[in-house]
Tab-separated table of all heavy atoms in Angstrom:
chain	number	residue	atom	x	y	z
A	37	ALA	N	203.072	59.062	11.470
A	37	ALA	CA	202.653	57.723	11.873
A	37	ALA	C	201.178	57.684	12.276
A	37	ALA	O	200.492	56.697	12.046
A	37	ALA	CB	203.517	57.232	13.026
A	38	HIS	N	200.710	58.786	12.892
A	38	HIS	CA	199.351	58.791	13.460
A	38	HIS	C	198.556	59.972	12.941
A	38	HIS	O	199.140	60.994	12.570
A	38	HIS	CB	199.446	58.863	15.000
A	38	HIS	CG	200.311	57.786	15.572
A	38	HIS	ND1	201.499	58.043	16.197
A	38	HIS	CD2	200.145	56.440	15.564
A	38	HIS	CE1	202.053	56.893	16.572
A	38	HIS	NE2	201.260	55.900	16.196
A	40	ASP	N	197.437	62.881	13.552
A	40	ASP	CA	197.709	64.129	14.290
A	40	ASP	C	199.201	64.478	14.263
A	40	ASP	O	199.585	65.561	14.676
A	40	ASP	CB	197.212	64.108	15.745
A	40	ASP	CG	198.106	63.287	16.697
A	40	ASP	OD1	198.691	62.311	16.251
A	40	ASP	OD2	198.193	63.654	17.875
A	41	ASP	N	200.046	63.583	13.753
A	41	ASP	CA	201.498	63.816	13.767
A	41	ASP	C	201.925	64.944	12.824
A	41	ASP	O	202.652	65.855	13.233
A	41	ASP	CB	202.259	62.537	13.371
A	41	ASP	CG	202.231	61.471	14.463
A	41	ASP	OD1	201.653	61.729	15.533
A	41	ASP	OD2	202.793	60.390	14.236
A	139	TYR	N	211.022	58.082	20.445
A	139	TYR	CA	210.619	57.162	21.511
A	139	TYR	C	209.546	56.178	21.042
A	139	TYR	O	209.398	55.089	21.587
A	139	TYR	CB	210.074	57.953	22.713
A	139	TYR	CG	208.705	58.556	22.445
A	139	TYR	CD1	207.545	57.921	22.892
A	139	TYR	CD2	208.565	59.718	21.702
A	139	TYR	CE1	206.298	58.452	22.617
A	139	TYR	CE2	207.330	60.247	21.433
A	139	TYR	CZ	206.202	59.612	21.892
A	139	TYR	OH	204.971	60.119	21.604
A	140	HIS	N	208.778	56.575	20.022
A	140	HIS	CA	207.638	55.755	19.607
A	140	HIS	C	208.017	54.928	18.369
A	140	HIS	O	208.410	55.496	17.353
A	140	HIS	CB	206.454	56.662	19.282
A	140	HIS	CG	205.138	55.950	19.235
A	140	HIS	ND1	204.929	54.837	18.446
A	140	HIS	CD2	203.967	56.187	19.876
A	140	HIS	CE1	203.682	54.422	18.618
A	140	HIS	NE2	203.076	55.217	19.489
A	143	HIS	N	206.618	56.071	15.016
A	143	HIS	CA	207.279	57.265	14.452
A	143	HIS	C	208.606	56.853	13.811
A	143	HIS	O	208.939	57.260	12.717
A	143	HIS	CB	207.580	58.297	15.540
A	143	HIS	CG	206.359	58.845	16.224
A	143	HIS	ND1	206.432	59.659	17.329
A	143	HIS	CD2	205.037	58.714	15.961
A	143	HIS	CE1	205.219	59.993	17.720
A	143	HIS	NE2	204.349	59.423	16.917
B	1	ZN	ZN1	202.310	60.006	16.717
Side-chain angles (χ1 to χ4, degrees):
H38 306 114
D40 76 328
D41 288 358
Y139 72 98
H140 197 306
H143 297 172

